[in-house]
């Protein structure tokens, strides 16, 4: 299961299938992004799936079930991650969320927020300390139809994160 594997990769703790960032007892365990942030490093995630999908989520969230994507979106916003790029806008949208909480408003207040390849290309990394991009309702399309591309998103993330003199984890 990718969630259990993702949690093992991101925390060093093997957990039960479906869990994200929690140990076998469902207690949150520190992930590599939290360790990096504690060291003063900038952090980011880039994914062609939804950023709330099991594997990217295992680096920023703590929930007992991978299906809790609305809760994972809250964890992403609360995580302090400087860059997150991928799909999954629906999980942040107050018009879709069962609790009606608009998570896009706090993201827009703390990050340069983009929703298209054109907007991403226009980002000036020298003046962008925090960048968020959500480019699809859920997962992004297959590579042949995907825009921005994975290289475009990765390049933008590296340009923003590499400004941190202490280092970064992406």
């Amino acid at each position: 299961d990718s969630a259990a594997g993702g949690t093992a990769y991101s925390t060093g703790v093997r957990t039960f299938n479906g869990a994200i960032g929690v140990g076998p007892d469902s207690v949150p365990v520190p992930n590599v992004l939290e360790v990096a942030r504690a060291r003063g490093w900038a952090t980011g995630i880039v994914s062609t799936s939804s950023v709330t999908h099991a594997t990217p989520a295992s680096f920023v969230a703590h929930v007992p079930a991978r299906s809790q994507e609305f809760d994972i979106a809250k964890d992403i916003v609360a995580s302090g991650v400087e860059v997150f790029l991928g799909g999954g806008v629906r999980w942040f949208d107050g018009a879709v969320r069962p609790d009606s909480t608009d998570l896009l408003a706090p993201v827009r207040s703390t990050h340069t927020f983009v929703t298209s390849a054109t907007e991403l290309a226009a980002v000036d990394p020298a003046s962008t300390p925090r960048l968020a991009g959500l480019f699809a309702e859920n997962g992004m399309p297959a590579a042949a139809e995907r825009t921005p591309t994975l290289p475009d998103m990765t390049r933008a993330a590296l340009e923003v994160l590499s400004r941190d003199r202490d280092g970064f984890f992406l």
Side-chain angles (χ1 to χ4, degrees):
D1 178 84
S2 66
T7 292
Y9 293 133
S10 65
T11 67
V13 175
R14 181 80 176 149
T15 190
F16 55 94
N17 281 345
I20 302 289
V22 297
D25 54 4
S26 295
V27 173
V29 292
N31 59 50
V32 69
L33 263 75
E34 291 164 333
V35 171
R37 289 189 55 74
R39 292 184 176 181
W41 296 5
T43 57
I45 56 172
V46 173
S47 181
T48 57
S49 68
S50 170
V51 294
T52 60
H53 190 268
T55 300
S58 70
F59 288 89
V60 291
H62 303 281
V63 295
R66 67 186 286 167
S67 61
Q68 294 178 264
E69 291 185 77
F70 290 114
D71 294 324
I72 292 167
K74 275 187 181 178
D75 281 0
I76 291 170
V77 173
S79 73
V81 66
E82 282 84 2
V83 174
F84 63 96
L85 302 170
V89 70
R90 74 179 311 272
W91 307 106
F92 297 79
D93 186 348
V96 177
R97 293 179 54 83
D99 63 6
S100 301
T101 302
D102 177 14
L103 296 179
L104 295 173
V107 169
R108 285 185 177 104
S109 73
T110 58
H111 291 70
T112 297
F113 181 67
V114 297
T115 60
S116 71
T118 303
E119 290 175 353
L120 183 64
V123 168
D124 175 12
S127 62
T128 306
R130 300 171 70 82
L131 174 63
L134 296 171
F135 306 105
E137 284 296 306
N138 201 13
M140 293 179 71
E145 295 90 40
R146 185 180 309 134
T147 128
T149 66
L150 180 58
D152 293 338
M153 292 187 293
T154 303
R155 186 173 16 264
L158 289 171
E159 288 174 351
V160 170
L161 295 172
S162 66
R163 295 179 50 229
D164 190 302
R165 293 177 185 228
D166 296 320
F168 65 88
F169 179 88
L170 175 64

